[in-house]
Amino acid sequence: MWRKLWNDSDWAIIICTFLLVCIGLAAIGSATHVNQEPIGFGSLVVKQLIFFLANAAVVIGMQFLNYHRLKDWGNIIYGITLLMLIAVMAVGTSALGAQRWIQLGLITIQPSEFSKLLMIICMAKMLEPRIGKLDTFKSLILPVLYVGVPIALVFLQPDLGTSLVYIAIFVGMLFISGIKTRLIKIIAGTGLLLMPLGWFVLKEYQKQRILVFLNPDIDPFGSGYHIIQSKIAIGSGLIFGKGIFNGTQSQLNFLPENHTDFIFSVIGEEFGFVGCIIVLLLLFMLIYRSIKVAYMCNDNFGMLLATGIATMFTFEVLVNVGMTIGIMPVTGIPLPFISQGGSSLITNLICVGLILSMSYQNNLHHEQEVEEHFRRSERY
């Protein structure tokens, strides 16, 4: 069994994930070593490493998981997701003006991170019987309401970034479900027309982020400070960077949140253009392999599941990297596998485990079909 697992595992996904986590550990260590204690049990890089090692076995073991069983638990998973998000509003802890975390003893978890994966499973179950049938607005009512409830709960935390991730995943899964192009055009046009009204439901700091995105110089020492310092950091790294632990913006505390939201800025400054390209290529390969698994899936549920995961990774990479170079507003979306954060890392690793499970199960199914073909040939 283990030899078969070794031969049939998607090693491109495993290697890309491992390298991304290693780069993340190096970047986190460099970004925090000035303000944190040396490499010890309390340091952020060690905590991140513990989260990775504790879940590496889970990722490997998930290849034996029959992912089809998740479909049977879809309604239960949806209920758990709603309960987690409601619990945040009731007993969650606040930080930086948002109530997004729950304290469990010494561990702080962010339910909205876990809920992204849970909702992908729920959406896959909900959309599977509707593939090819999403041709009227009436057919979209239930899916929109189904996804709209958790989106609203996350938005009220407030967490605009994760809400946008939900929407991006939903749109990607609708597209692969065969929604009619005519509906997409009407919905996109209506959304653009109604977008100005969205301004009035945003929090004041969210409005300020959008204004700063359009012109960072309107508040260079306030809301625009993050973007300005991030651009300086990435630009100063040039081709090969200044070297690990040698970045000025990150090491001298000019760059805020340099171990979470702006970790890509640290990579750009200390590893340069080459380091950024390596990170982006690894992320691209991971997303590409996820899309390929979706394409090769033998069932619609697996196809939707892999598509949702690939969409989530793609959107988070585009937004996180985009905000560090000033082409996207600051939204607080982490860079997958690299930004420091246990909830985000665990969620992403479980997503990789599911992709590996689908890849392994598809290979197994293909081998069984080949064997059956040969048996039938021998009979004749």
Side-chain angles (χ1 to χ4, degrees):
M1 180 181 65
W2 287 104
R3 180 178 297 177
K4 184 173 181 58
L5 178 64
W6 177 272
N7 294 331
D8 290 345
S9 293
D10 194 324
W11 284 100
I13 292 177
I14 295 173
I15 292 172
C16 285
T17 301
F18 178 75
L19 291 177
L20 284 169
V21 172
C22 289
I23 292 172
L25 290 171
I28 294 168
S30 179
T32 60
H33 85 284
V34 173
N35 300 318
Q36 297 286 326
E37 63 181 83
I39 301 300
F41 188 75
S43 69
L44 292 178
V45 66
V46 170
K47 290 180 180 178
Q48 190 82 344
L49 178 60
I50 291 173
F51 280 122
F52 171 65
L53 294 177
N55 289 275
V58 175
V59 172
I60 297 173
M62 284 185 69
Q63 293 190 70
F64 298 110
L65 172 70
N66 185 356
Y67 65 90
H68 299 96
R69 295 180 181 176
L70 295 174
K71 183 167 57 175
D72 300 330
W73 304 337
N75 294 332
I76 297 175
I77 292 174
Y78 186 75
I80 292 173
T81 302
L82 295 183
L83 287 175
M84 285 198 312
L85 296 177
I86 293 172
V88 173
M89 301 177 66
V91 298
T93 58
S94 301
L96 301 176
Q99 189 168 321
R100 305 174 187 171
W101 299 270
I102 293 179
Q103 191 71 35
L104 299 176
L106 299 176
I107 301 175
T108 302
I109 66 170
Q110 188 174 352
S112 60
E113 284 293 330
F114 297 115
S115 66
K116 289 187 290 189
L117 171 59
L118 298 180
M119 280 307 301
I120 289 174
I121 298 171
C122 297
M123 283 188 272
K125 172 183 170 58
M126 182 264 299
L127 288 174
E128 183 188 21
R130 294 173 171 81
I131 289 180
K133 301 177 182 178
L134 300 172
D135 51 1
T136 63
F137 283 105
K138 184 179 179 180
S139 65
L140 289 175
I141 292 176
L142 184 59
V144 170
L145 291 175
Y146 188 85
V147 179
V149 174
I151 289 177
L153 291 174
V154 172
F155 182 79
L156 291 173
Q157 292 182 2
D159 190 350
L160 177 61
T162 303
S163 301
L164 293 175
V165 175
Y166 272 50
I167 294 173
I169 294 170
F170 183 52
V171 171
M173 295 177 75
L174 280 179
F175 180 79
I176 206 68
S177 298
I179 184 173
K180 297 300 180 182
T181 306
R182 175 178 57 86
L183 291 180
I184 296 177
K185 292 179 180 178
I186 295 174
I187 294 172
T190 304
L192 289 174
L193 291 175
L194 296 178
M195 191 174 292
L197 297 178
W199 179 262
F200 300 101
V201 301
L202 295 177
K203 301 289 184 181
E204 193 59 37
Y205 78 92
Q206 293 170 337
K207 295 178 181 179
Q208 190 65 20
R209 284 181 175 180
I210 294 176
L211 293 174
V212 164
F213 161 65
L214 298 174
N215 181 15
D217 293 326
I218 63 173
D219 190 13
F221 298 105
S223 299
Y225 184 78
H226 293 68
I227 298 177
I228 293 173
Q229 294 301 320
S230 177
K231 288 181 178 180
I232 292 173
I234 293 177
S236 64
L238 299 177
I239 301 297
F240 298 106
K242 299 175 181 177
I244 192 168
F245 302 120
N246 291 324
T248 55
Q249 305 305 115
S250 57
Q251 302 301 322
L252 299 178
N253 292 325
F254 287 108
L255 182 64
E257 307 300 329
N258 59 354
H259 61 292
T260 53
D261 298 344
F262 287 89
I263 192 74
F264 190 76
S265 307
V266 176
I267 293 172
E269 183 180 30
E270 300 189 350
F271 301 99
F273 177 78
V274 173
C276 291
I277 290 298
I278 291 174
V279 168
L280 292 177
L281 285 175
L282 290 172
L283 288 166
F284 171 80
M285 178 57 69
L286 183 62
I287 294 168
Y288 167 76
R289 296 297 300 181
S290 300
I291 294 173
K292 187 173 181 180
V293 168
Y295 178 77
M296 298 298 293
C297 265
N298 301 301
D299 64 293
N300 290 330
F301 177 74
M303 177 190 67
L304 288 167
L305 201 61
T307 299
I309 293 172
T311 304
M312 181 186 74
F313 286 156
T314 301
F315 186 78
E316 290 181 343
V317 171
L318 290 176
V319 173
N320 182 276
V321 174
M323 76 179 185
T324 62
I325 60 178
I327 63 173
M328 288 281 188
V330 176
T331 55
I333 294 177
L335 187 61
F337 304 100
I338 295 181
S339 293
Q340 193 276 328
S343 298
S344 174
L345 181 61
I346 292 172
T347 300
N348 291 330
L349 289 174
I350 294 176
C351 285
V352 168
L354 281 176
I355 293 293
L356 291 173
S357 172
M358 285 180 269
S359 177
Y360 180 75
Q361 295 291 332
N362 290 334
N363 290 336
L364 193 62
H365 180 77
H366 177 70
E367 291 175 3
Q368 290 172 348
E369 286 185 336
V370 172
E371 291 175 0
E372 181 64 23
H373 174 75
F374 278 115
R375 280 198 296 266
R376 289 177 180 177
S377 300
E378 289 175 356
R379 289 174 188 172
Y380 292 104

